[in-house]
Amino acid sequence: MKTFVAFFAGSAIFGVVTGVAYWLIAHEEATGTVLLGCMAAALAFTAAYAVIAEKNADLPGDDPQETPERAAGEALGIFTTHSAWPILVAISSLAMLVGMLWSPLIGFSGLAALLLCLWRLGAESARV
Amino acid sequence: MIEWLTTTNHKKIGTMYIVATLAFFIVAGALAGMIRLQLSHPNNTIVGTHEYNQIFTMHGTAMIFLVIAPFAIGLANFLIPLQIGAPDMAFPRLNATGLWLFVVGGLTVFAGFATYGGAAAAGWSNYAPLSEITIGTGAGEDLYLIGLTLTGISNILTAVNFIVTIVCYRAPGMTFWRMPIFTWEMVATSILILMAFPALTAVMAMVLIDRHMGGHFFDPASGGNPILYQHLFWFFGHPEVYIMILPYFGVVAEIIATFSRKPVFGYVGMVLSAFAIAGLSLGVWAHHMFTTGAVSNPFFSGISFLIAIPTGVKFVNWIGTMWKGSIEFSTAMLLCIGFLLNFLLGGITGVMIASPPLDYMAHDSYFIVQHFHYTLGGGSLFALFAALFFYFPKIFGVKLDERLGKWFAALFFLGFNVTFIPMGFAGLEGMARRVSTYPDVAHLALLNGLSSIGTAIIAISVILFFINVVISCLKREPVGDNPWGGYSLEWLTSSPPPEFNFHELPPIRSKLPAWDLMEERGISRV
């Protein structure tokens, strides 16, 4: 986990350095500075979250001496095998976008279907 | 059928990605054939200009968004949990949502062909304001934008899933520095996806707003700025090149190590170079815009040159892995050697056009077409087929025929080079890309004729590949858990693996768990 935090933190620093270098070299062109700034901010946010998450992490994958026998019994969660909602989310997303352009009726139906699918998907995930 | 449509199992999702991308590949390949047929002679009129624009647009779009990148995502879906010893992906439903958004998005992009006015025709880069002109790019263009938005969201969801799975679901003892290179490359790729794809989704939405809701983001007459489109598009577009190549770097490293019977040479360098490439690739987007005169050419040129260093590190690693190895020239290994040779040419031409003066000359010419095909065709596509030969037994429980495979590899390599070497020379003689025909001047007829012959050879080789798949699947000769003598964890489970991957996990004490076990049991690697 520490390795991962280091990679995210390193990426964020790289983003800041590149953004500042770009601004110094090409400050008359704002788009690039904004893009690199957003990138650095996103990476910094992730790195910050990773630092906080790392404090509470006790992952068997991080311990080089850990064995499957010793880690046995640890709950990994329940992995679902089937769900009808993902494919319906995709179809309703398409209906919503297509409808937005050509048919408000299809668009609103798609939006309603998408919200319903996401709600059911969430409910299903909460159960299993 | 319902079983497959509703599955959330990572292996089935990965398999469906792979099958879908191969189906899209057949269509994209057929479109490439039509391009080369049209260009086989000067002044050809087999297809009209507008049809030609649709064909090359959809060929590029399909290869980039629906074949090369998503094949790697499918492979990663199948492999990552196996390589790190996890029972599935962290978010199985999110994974399935990503798959179906990709499939629905891909079909939507192609649905443009069925509309009045045809499919999108503004090139895969879909530059505004060209893509905002409604005449000639009507519903097909809208479907293109919607389809790519859906596939973009699919990529973002899947990248989140990969990162969480790798961070949280590694098996006991599978520390980060014991993970296989492919998994590492997917970490770098996932971060790139998260950084780059939002820009694509945003720019697609902006074009839709301009087209349908009275927006003027890219309309200079109303204060908009077309250069903004190029910035946003290439901020996605150049990292996308690495999203299409980094996973295949991992595939090549795995295959070369397995068939050289040696651990990956310079493992740490291999990992760090992947992140260096990923980071630098986010800072080079405007080298596609040198000729606009609106960007800082020195900045983007400098960073573009820098990318050659970590890429060179990877070449050293691959060659170092082979060095003094006990090399077995399987089909997968031969395709990887083809990858090294072709990608090298793609890389060298890339360094050439990273220099603004050279880029000014080569911009929008067939030299560029040659360059990126050597990178993504000679590079990624060769590794894609290598991956198919290498992982086919693990995915489908069937080994592809090696004799037919070697014929395929030889013909594919020959056809590829006969197709694309002449393009570089045609570009230097002034042939512009994206033109439906050309005059009979200089050596253009000869060079284009050669390219078209090369494409026919590629077509034969690909047909041979699919014949191989059919024959091998009909024969169904059973394979063991580890038919190639691979070193990573996926080779320690059955082929194909059981529902939650492992009945029993071995202790993981190094980067080479399968070889450790072979050594323990006194089995030779060679």
Side-chain angles (χ1 to χ4, degrees):
Chain A
M1 186 76 181
K2 279 191 167 54
T3 309
F4 212 72
V5 174
F7 270 105
F8 266 113
S11 305
I13 292 165
F14 171 82
V16 171
V17 170
T18 315
V20 170
Y22 186 81
W23 180 73
L24 289 172
I25 294 171
H27 53 271
E28 71 280 2
E29 196 288 294
T31 317
T33 310
V34 171
L35 284 170
L36 289 169
C38 289
M39 179 187 88
L43 287 167
F45 176 81
T46 318
Y49 177 78
V51 167
I52 294 164
E54 197 270 330
K55 284 181 182 160
N56 302 319
D58 181 20
L59 300 170
D62 286 340
D63 181 355
Q65 300 304 323
E66 188 65 288
T67 61
E69 291 76 32
R70 277 218 303 261
E74 182 172 339
L76 284 174
I78 298 166
F79 291 89
T80 177
T81 55
H82 290 91
S83 174
W85 300 112
I87 189 169
L88 296 174
V89 165
I91 293 167
S92 50
S93 302
L94 175 66
M96 183 187 72
L97 289 173
V98 168
M100 266 171 59
L101 300 186
W102 295 309
S103 161
L105 180 66
I106 295 174
F108 281 115
S109 306
L111 176 63
L114 179 62
L115 291 173
L116 176 72
C117 291
L118 291 174
W119 172 47
R120 295 316 305 158
L121 190 63
E124 191 183 74
S125 302
R127 272 202 311 275
V128 185
Chain B
M1 182 74 168
I2 295 289
E3 160 82 15
W4 282 86
L5 291 178
T6 60
T7 187
T8 53
N9 182 282
H10 76 98
K11 292 183 293 298
K12 284 185 177 162
I13 288 171
T15 307
M16 282 193 280
Y17 261 112
I18 289 170
V19 171
T21 53
L22 289 178
F24 286 133
F25 171 70
I26 292 170
V27 180
L31 293 172
M34 289 162 80
I35 292 171
R36 289 316 318 168
L37 194 64
Q38 166 70 8
L39 296 177
S40 57
H41 296 287
N43 305 311
N44 244 351
T45 52
I46 297 170
V47 293
T49 308
H50 182 54
E51 288 72 29
Y52 185 83
N53 290 347
Q54 293 174 51
I55 290 169
F56 76 71
T57 297
M58 296 306 286
H59 164 71
T61 302
M63 288 305 293
I64 288 165
F65 292 102
L66 308 177
V67 179
I68 295 176
F71 179 90
I73 284 176
L75 191 66
N77 246 302
F78 192 94
L79 281 182
I80 285 176
L82 288 166
Q83 290 199 327
I84 62 170
D88 202 323
M89 297 289 279
F91 308 119
R93 291 182 189 87
L94 193 71
N95 204 17
T97 307
L99 165 75
W100 292 115
L101 283 171
F102 160 70
V103 172
V104 167
L107 292 174
T108 305
V109 169
F110 274 115
F113 276 119
T115 61
Y116 180 76
W124 85 274
S125 48
N126 203 41
Y127 270 13
L130 186 62
S131 52
E132 297 189 338
I133 301 165
T134 314
I135 301 161
T137 55
E141 175 65 31
D142 293 322
L143 290 172
Y144 177 93
L145 295 165
I146 290 171
L148 288 194
T149 302
L150 293 175
T151 57
I153 295 168
S154 152
N155 278 300
I156 292 168
L157 299 182
T158 308
V160 170
N161 215 348
F162 284 153
I163 291 176
V164 176
T165 305
I166 293 166
V167 172
C168 299
Y169 285 85
R170 281 164 294 119
M174 178 59 80
T175 61
F176 278 106
W177 294 105
R178 287 177 181 167
M179 292 195 312
I181 293 289
F182 177 76
T183 298
W184 266 119
E185 300 279 353
M186 284 312 301
V187 175
T189 305
S190 300
I191 294 173
L192 268 186
I193 288 173
L194 293 180
M195 293 298 110
F197 265 88
L200 175 76
T201 307
V203 81
M204 296 288 124
M206 289 161 87
V207 174
L208 275 173
I209 289 168
D210 273 12
R211 284 171 65 87
H212 290 278
M213 298 169 196
H216 300 287
F217 287 112
F218 309 119
D219 174 15
S222 306
N225 184 0
I227 295 294
L228 175 64
Y229 178 92
Q230 296 191 29
H231 271 297
L232 286 170
F233 180 81
W234 288 116
F235 190 78
F236 148 79
H238 200 80
E240 169 71 353
V241 173
Y242 292 92
I243 290 165
M244 285 189 283
I245 196 74
L246 285 175
Y248 296 105
F249 283 171
V251 165
V252 169
E254 307 276 344
I255 294 174
I256 287 179
T258 299
F259 290 113
S260 302
R261 310 297 175 209
K262 277 178 65 192
V264 172
F265 172 77
Y267 173 90
V268 174
M270 197 73 142
V271 172
L272 295 179
S273 61
F275 281 85
I277 290 171
L280 290 169
S281 78
L282 285 161
V284 298
W285 75 91
H287 72 203
H288 297 268
M289 299 163 59
F290 281 154
T291 56
T292 61
V295 297
S296 169
N297 288 3
F299 178 87
F300 290 106
S301 175
I303 296 199
S304 303
F305 283 131
L306 280 179
I307 288 197
I309 297 169
T311 312
V313 168
K314 288 206 174 288
F315 266 87
V316 171
N317 291 145
W318 291 320
I319 294 167
T321 307
M322 283 193 270
W323 186 257
K324 291 189 176 173
S326 177
I327 297 176
E328 180 189 337
F329 290 100
S330 65
T331 305
M333 184 69 178
L334 289 173
L335 286 163
C336 285
I337 293 170
F339 164 95
L340 294 182
L341 298 170
N342 292 330
F343 188 74
L344 184 65
L345 197 51
I348 289 171
T349 48
V351 172
M352 290 162 72
I353 51 176
S355 164
L358 291 178
D359 182 75
Y360 271 67
M361 195 185 87
H363 191 80
D364 268 348
S365 78
Y366 259 77
F367 189 85
I368 302 293
V369 180
Q370 182 213 37
H371 156 68
F372 68 71
H373 276 92
Y374 264 96
T375 311
L376 299 174
S380 303
L381 210 52
F382 268 70
L384 183 155
F385 279 109
L388 278 171
F389 275 92
F390 190 60
Y391 291 113
F392 206 87
K394 188 52 69 185
I395 299 171
F396 297 102
V398 174
K399 205 170 173 179
L400 291 175
D401 185 274
E402 276 288 292
R403 196 166 55 93
L404 280 176
K406 283 173 184 167
W407 273 104
F408 157 73
L411 282 173
F412 192 45
F413 186 79
L414 175 73
F416 186 85
N417 283 285
V418 172
T419 302
F420 293 104
I421 286 178
M423 283 189 190
F425 292 104
L428 293 176
E429 290 196 2
M431 180 149 172
R433 67 191 286 203
R434 294 174 174 168
V435 289
S436 62
T437 189
Y438 54 93
D440 190 4
V441 295
H443 302 97
L444 294 188
L446 172 69
L447 294 167
N448 277 287
L450 275 172
S451 280
S452 297
I453 290 167
T455 305
I457 299 171
I458 292 177
I460 292 166
S461 72
V462 172
I463 290 168
L464 196 63
F465 170 79
F466 283 107
I467 289 172
N468 190 350
V469 170
V470 172
I471 289 175
S472 303
C473 288
L474 287 176
K475 270 198 207 163
R476 285 209 76 81
E477 284 176 10
V479 289
D481 296 356
N482 193 358
W484 308 116
Y487 65 87
S488 42
L489 209 51
E490 74 269 27
W491 301 108
L492 289 177
T493 187
S494 60
S495 307
E499 180 146 22
F500 291 111
N501 296 341
F502 295 92
H503 292 304
E504 194 183 353
L505 271 171
I508 298 156
R509 289 284 163 266
S510 76
K511 295 187 280 286
L512 316 163
W515 285 358
D516 289 346
L517 210 65
M518 283 162 79
E519 203 172 291
E520 205 177 294
R521 293 173 183 170
I523 304 167
S524 166
R525 279 184 219 166
V526 181

